[in-house]
């Protein structure tokens, strides 16, 4: 195994790491994500050049790129909800044209699951689910020791599985997608609904009395003061998170479910509730070994680190 570069191409930032063959991070860099496919590709090229130089790597060092959205087996970003206006972008092809054959591309959550499996909370588990609860939901699935990509590369997108057909509208065009509930945006939405029903006084006060200004961070901050109404929103979030965890466990029977993303920083306010509810929602829970539900080990760098691990995999 040789050193590699891993790039997490996010909606707002590009986070990249140079990783030694032992998994040690040699250098990290972070840049804002430019708009438009041309500037986006050039930004990745610049980031790779910067890291290669800073870490003193061979110019032919392999590069892994993780990107949010539907990435097919050829590395084409079919649909990237976080990259406005970008559809059917041949990310792998365009980057190989600029950087050579050393580039591999996968979905960001599929990269994050590799990091958790190699040196994180899923280490030692042949069957694992990694869920990143951020603005939306990213998911990486490991079955029998292999990252599941599906027939066309698009497996593992439970965030847009509909859990309530009459639920709130989702930017994807459907209603009641799981990530309308079990994500940062979900917490904010449920909090706005509660505020418009004359609850959440303390959260509203923090946001200048405007329900539309409420973010998940506001709910967490107020819940931390012991506010019961803010905690009730997090309990609701935990219930919906548990529903998806139980549904995925019903399908895949993992030994661990790893939860990451921005909300995990407040795990002390909701993770135990997820653990309490999962058995209620999973068939035969008294007669089976339940998956452990644990916090992610790697933070915001998980996808970049996993992209570097992807680049190190034999082609
Ligand atoms: Zn949706």
């Amino acid at each position: 195994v040789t050193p590699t570069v891993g790039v997490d191409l996010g909606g707002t930032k590009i986070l990249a790491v140079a990783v030694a063959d032992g998994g040690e991070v040699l250098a990290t860099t972070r840049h804002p994500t430019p708009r438009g496919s041309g500037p986006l590709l050039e930004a990745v090229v610049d980031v790779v050049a910067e890291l290669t130089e800073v870490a003193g790597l061979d110019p032919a060092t392999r590069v892994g790129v993780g990107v949010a959205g539907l990435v097919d087996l050829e590395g084409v970003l079919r649909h990237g909800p976080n990259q406005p206006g970008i559809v059917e972008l041949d990310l792998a092809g365009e980057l190989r044209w600029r950087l050579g054959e050393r580039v591999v591309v996968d979905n960001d959550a599929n990269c994050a699951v590799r990091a958790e499996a190699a040196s994180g909370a899923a280490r030692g588990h042949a069957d694992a689910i990694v869920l990143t609860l951020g603005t939306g939901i990213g998911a990486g699935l490991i079955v029998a020791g292999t990252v599941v990509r599906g027939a066309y590369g698009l497996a593992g997108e439970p965030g847009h599985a509909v859990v309530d057909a009459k639920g709130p509208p989702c930017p994807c065009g459907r209603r009641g997608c799981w990530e309308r509930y079990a994500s940062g945006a979900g917490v904010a939405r449920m909090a706005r609904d509660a505020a418009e029903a004359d609850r959440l006084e303390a959260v509203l006060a923090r946001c200048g009395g405007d329900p539309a200004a409420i973010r998940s961070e506001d709910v967490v901050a107020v819940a931390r003061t012991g506010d019961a109404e803010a905690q009730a929103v997090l309990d609701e979030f935990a219930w919906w998170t548990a529903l998806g965890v139980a549904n995925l466990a019903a399908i895949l029977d993992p030994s661990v479910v790893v939860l990451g993303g921005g909300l995990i920083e407040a795990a002390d306010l909701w993770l135990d509730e997820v653990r309490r509810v999962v058995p209620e929602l999973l068939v035969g829970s008294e007669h089976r070994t339940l998956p452990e539900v644990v916090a992610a080990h790697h933070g915001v760098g998980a996808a970049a680190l996993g992209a570097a691990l992807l680049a190190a995999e034999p082609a």
Side-chain angles (χ1 to χ4, degrees):
V1 189
T2 55
T4 55
V5 170
V7 181
D8 175 11
L9 192 46
T12 56
K13 68 173 189 307
I14 298 173
L15 181 66
V17 293
V19 177
D21 56 5
E24 179 201 354
V25 173
L26 302 168
T28 303
T29 187
R30 180 191 291 246
H31 293 279
T33 306
R35 290 283 164 252
S37 56
L40 190 72
L41 294 164
E42 289 311 318
V44 174
V45 171
D46 290 347
V47 160
V48 171
E50 179 190 335
L51 270 183
T52 307
E53 190 180 325
V54 169
L57 303 178
D58 186 310
T61 299
R62 289 178 59 80
V63 176
V65 177
V67 61
L70 299 180
V71 180
D72 71 16
L73 294 173
E74 278 72 48
V76 177
L77 178 59
R78 295 268 171 203
H79 172 64
N82 297 334
Q83 317 281 353
I86 295 184
V87 288
E88 304 293 343
L89 173 63
D90 182 4
L91 204 51
E94 294 286 349
L95 288 172
R96 282 176 192 149
W97 186 76
R98 289 165 173 81
L99 291 166
E101 287 300 315
R102 59 198 176 115
V103 181
V104 282
V105 178
D106 198 351
N107 170 275
D108 59 348
N110 284 355
C111 292
V113 73
R114 286 179 170 88
E116 292 297 338
S119 59
R123 190 174 182 174
H125 291 269
D127 293 272
I129 296 171
V130 175
L131 300 168
T132 307
L133 311 177
T135 307
I137 297 175
L141 315 174
I142 292 181
V143 172
T146 303
V147 176
V148 174
R149 298 199 62 187
Y152 307 104
L154 311 184
E157 295 289 337
H160 292 283
V162 174
V163 292
D164 180 357
K166 296 193 170 87
C170 181
C172 77
R174 276 151 286 271
R175 280 183 171 274
C177 291
W178 186 36
E179 70 174 45
R180 290 299 93 209
Y181 307 87
S183 68
V187 168
R189 184 193 60 75
M190 291 186 287
R192 283 194 289 271
D193 287 354
E196 277 158 10
D198 291 327
R199 299 198 302 275
L200 283 187
E201 207 174 301
V203 175
L204 260 182
R206 193 184 148 88
C207 300
D210 179 10
I214 299 174
R215 299 161 308 152
S216 61
E217 296 92 316
D218 300 312
V219 179
V220 166
V222 172
R224 205 167 277 299
T225 69
D227 184 274
E229 290 180 333
Q231 184 59 51
V233 173
L234 292 180
D235 289 349
E236 197 179 352
F237 158 77
W239 188 89
W240 286 102
T241 300
L243 175 69
V245 167
N247 284 346
L248 288 167
I251 297 165
L252 294 173
D253 189 25
S255 54
V256 70
V257 177
V258 178
L259 303 179
L263 280 158
I264 203 65
E265 285 159 29
D268 57 309
L269 295 174
W270 57 267
L271 188 54
D272 280 343
E273 180 68 2
V274 175
R275 292 175 177 138
R276 187 186 72 77
V277 176
V278 166
E280 292 179 5
L281 298 172
L282 183 58
V283 66
S285 56
E286 310 90 71
H287 307 285
R288 63 193 293 165
T289 305
L290 294 164
E292 294 172 50
V293 180
V294 301
H297 174 78
H298 296 290
V300 290
L305 180 60
L309 296 171
L310 167 68
E313 287 177 6

